[in-house]
Amino acid sequence: MHRSLFRASTLLFLIGLLLAPAGSARAQTVILAFGDSLTLGFGDGNTSCFGGPQGGYPPRLESRLEGQGLDNEMRSFGVCGELTSQGVTRIDGVLDSNTDADVVIIMEGTNDLSNNGISTESMRFNINEMAEKALDRSVRPVIASPIPRGPEAGSNDRTGFLAALLREDTDEKDIDYADQFNGLIGVTDLFENFYADPFHPNSSGYSLVAGQMLNPVLSAASRPLDVEPCVPGDQTLCLNEERFQIEVEWRDFDGNEGVGQAVSLTSDTGYFWFFDPANVELVLKVLDGQAFNERFWVFYGALSTVQYTITVTDTERGLRRIYNNPLENLASVGDTSAFPGDPEDAELGAGSNSFVIDLGAEFGVDPDGATRTAWAVPFPKASSPSARSSLTKEEFVCVVDDESLCLNQSRFQVRARWADFDGNTGVGRAVPLTSDTGYFWFFSPTNVEVMVKVLDGLGFNNAYWVFFGALTNVELEVEVTDTMTGEQVLYTNPLGNFGSRADTSAFPQPEEPE
């Protein structure tokens, strides 16, 4: 799998990896719709300012973006009666609570225009301030002008003037602009056929608004992020010639939160610990797969069931991938389309430069038998071993060698075997990390394939626990032997599947006599 080892004998393995079904992992652009009652969708069916269903342009735009090939999640944050000055204050909380956002649509000013005491310059300043707050958080703004006002609401002069000012600002700052005013004002019988009242569109009118939003949002979604070169640190991995920056945030079962502490292993691989330096929680690698599909690949394997978010940033291209894992899931992932390699290949899907992969409990095997590229094992339910046996009763001492890890005070011997897609077989080469944890490589010393740890869970369920996280989809066997009792468990992972395991009943111990 390492680029220096790409060769004919492993070609079938890599092709199998590339063709593996994606399961429920999905690429998404997260878009925030921020504004007043026009964003809430007042005038659209039963939409109300006092709770209940929301409508308007956001769901229609989400559907139209999907039709253009952009897998997206639209989140609506409309508040009836809001002034631009109030939006400046509120947008901080919306942006801070949606840290995975890629794009924010800012559509404010309708209520200000009804108040002659608020100048167009004041509205202009506030709208630009909201856009700057988004840019400060690496969220790309789309500014949308207010829509035309019906004749009963008075002149459209101020609305048109504000739209012209916003056009100047967005051109100067290179921000995407949806000129709703000039895009709609020329529509035949606009107020008769497309408005519910002088200020709000009806259902058909909101479809027109969504149409005006489409191209500016697609443009914003394709803009690269403004990122700095990766600098390795206690909380940051810099992988693959320090091009890719990796950061992790976690949340445990009690609601405690923190950031992962980074440890580099090779130029392509590293891991994070959350609670104790001796307890490895998550191992990641970024490989150069350009020779096969013009992409950089991201792999990770978990030895933890806490909630975590992995943020991977391509600092050369300004592209970002966010991988979310919820509580109680244990997952391994191989994303072989993570980042484009060739500069000519800048498009991601329909222009998306960031997406989120969410791992849910539905990972596993499809009803038709096709294995997914990741699986999740609920916690604390134990993941049973594939086989259990006992060795002949005799003195057995674990000896560290090229093929063996000796974990948890050297009581447990761990070995690994593999078989690739071309029928080649071999044994894992062992590298110890901590007293409880180590890893195996298969094809190259710089390419970590599976991480294993054995924990003392006697204080919880009177058993020793076995965790492993795979960064490969070759066929895998992990053999763990308790050298004190001769008991042995064998875990298998089928060809074509990425797998992590958490067996919290791996080696139960006899109850102490009272």
Side-chain angles (χ1 to χ4, degrees), residues 254-413:
D254 295 322
N256 301 308
E257 298 178 342
V259 294
Q261 304 299 303
V263 179
S264 178
L265 291 177
T266 73
S267 61
D268 293 334
T269 309
Y271 70 84
F272 289 87
W273 60 269
F274 297 164
F275 312 107
D276 183 334
N279 191 6
V280 177
E281 304 285 357
L282 192 63
V283 58
L284 303 101
K285 66 182 177 184
V286 180
L287 298 183
D288 185 345
Q290 293 181 90
F292 289 86
N293 68 339
E294 298 182 345
R295 291 291 191 271
F296 286 92
W297 304 349
V298 174
F299 297 77
Y300 69 86
L303 292 85
S304 176
T305 56
V306 302
Q307 177 181 326
Y308 55 83
T309 299
I310 305 169
T311 301
V312 185
T313 303
D314 180 348
T315 61
E316 288 189 13
R317 300 285 296 280
L319 305 177
R320 180 167 291 157
R321 296 287 179 263
I322 300 173
Y323 302 87
N324 285 335
N325 190 77
L327 283 171
E328 300 187 2
N329 278 354
L330 189 77
S332 290
V333 165
D335 182 358
T336 58
S337 298
F339 294 95
D342 192 313
E344 297 294 325
D345 188 24
E347 294 288 330
L348 291 179
S352 168
N353 61 23
S354 179
F355 67 70
V356 178
I357 290 183
D358 289 305
L359 300 179
E362 69 272 16
F363 277 94
V365 179
D366 287 334
D368 62 2
T371 54
R372 298 186 184 275
T373 58
W375 61 7
V377 180
F379 181 88
K381 181 181 178 181
S383 170
S384 301
S386 304
R388 185 180 293 273
S389 60
S390 295
L391 302 177
T392 303
K393 184 64 177 176
E394 60 185 36
E395 286 294 318
F396 194 105
V397 177
C398 186
V399 178
V400 176
D401 56 34
D402 289 345
E403 300 176 7
S404 303
L405 294 173
C406 296
L407 303 181
N408 209 293
Q409 299 180 359
S410 293
R411 173 170 174 169
F412 295 92
Q413 175 185 275

Side-chain angles (χ1 to χ4, degrees), residues 24-295:
S24 294
R26 54 197 180 117
Q28 281 196 324
T29 296
V30 177
I31 304 169
L32 311 181
F34 184 86
D36 50 32
S37 58
L38 293 172
T39 298
L40 181 74
F42 188 83
D44 182 13
N46 296 322
T47 299
S48 169
C49 292
F50 306 102
Q54 295 188 16
Y57 80 81
R60 292 169 169 83
L61 178 58
E62 182 179 55
S63 178
R64 294 192 67 158
L65 291 168
E66 292 282 353
Q68 293 293 313
L70 181 65
D71 189 0
N72 72 103
E73 178 184 353
M74 186 76 62
R75 301 173 188 169
S76 183
F77 297 92
V79 174
C80 289
E82 183 169 80
L83 300 173
T84 57
S85 58
Q86 296 169 317
V88 169
T89 301
R90 183 170 68 94
I91 199 169
D92 285 315
V94 171
L95 292 169
D96 290 343
S97 61
N98 292 271
T99 56
D100 57 345
D102 302 301
V103 175
V104 58
I105 303 167
I106 300 168
M107 189 176 183
E108 294 259 10
T110 295
N111 297 298
D112 301 58
L113 289 165
S114 298
N115 187 336
N116 289 327
I118 302 176
S119 69
T120 51
E121 283 295 335
S122 176
M123 301 176 218
R124 175 190 196 183
F125 175 85
N126 290 335
I127 292 170
N128 278 282
E129 186 70 9
M130 288 183 249
E132 289 296 332
K133 290 188 174 192
L135 289 169
D136 288 344
R137 294 166 171 84
S138 295
V139 179
R140 292 165 298 284
V142 174
I143 292 179
S145 75
I147 64 174
R149 305 157 72 80
E152 302 92 334
S155 170
N156 270 306
D157 290 347
R158 289 221 306 162
T159 309
F161 185 52
L162 177 61
L165 294 176
L166 295 176
R167 167 69 70 183
E168 291 178 7
D169 295 336
T170 53
D171 285 347
E172 179 183 345
K173 298 178 180 180
D174 194 24
I175 292 174
D176 290 288
Y177 182 46
D179 190 344
Q180 296 287 348
F181 178 78
N182 288 298
L184 298 179
I185 194 66
V187 174
T188 303
D189 297 328
L190 176 67
F191 303 113
E192 291 80 3
N193 295 332
F194 298 98
Y195 269 52
D197 60 41
F199 304 97
H200 301 91
N202 58 22
S203 298
S204 298
Y206 278 116
S207 294
L208 293 180
V209 172
Q212 296 294 318
M213 294 281 191
L214 183 62
N215 285 333
V217 171
L218 284 172
S219 174
S222 67
R223 289 178 179 266
L225 299 167
D226 184 14
V227 295
E228 299 293 330
C230 189
V231 178
D234 292 343
Q235 300 169 359
T236 304
L237 288 176
C238 297
L239 302 182
N240 209 289
E241 299 181 352
E242 299 194 346
R243 171 172 175 169
F244 294 91
Q245 176 177 292
I246 322 289
E247 297 170 308
V248 175
E249 297 179 347
W250 58 264
R251 179 184 178 90
D252 69 13
F253 288 81
D254 295 322
N256 301 308
E257 298 178 342
V259 294
Q261 304 299 303
V263 179
S264 178
L265 291 177
T266 73
S267 61
D268 293 334
T269 309
Y271 70 84
F272 289 87
W273 60 269
F274 297 164
F275 312 107
D276 183 334
N279 191 6
V280 177
E281 304 285 357
L282 192 63
V283 58
L284 303 101
K285 66 182 177 184
V286 180
L287 298 183
D288 185 345
Q290 293 181 90
F292 289 86
N293 68 339
E294 298 182 345
R295 291 291 191 271

Side-chain angles (χ1 to χ4, degrees), residues 435-455:
S435 61
D436 294 334
T437 308
Y439 69 84
F440 293 91
W441 61 268
F442 299 163
F443 309 109
S444 166
T446 62
N447 192 5
V448 178
E449 304 287 1
V450 60
M451 187 83 72
V452 184
K453 68 180 178 183
V454 181
L455 298 182

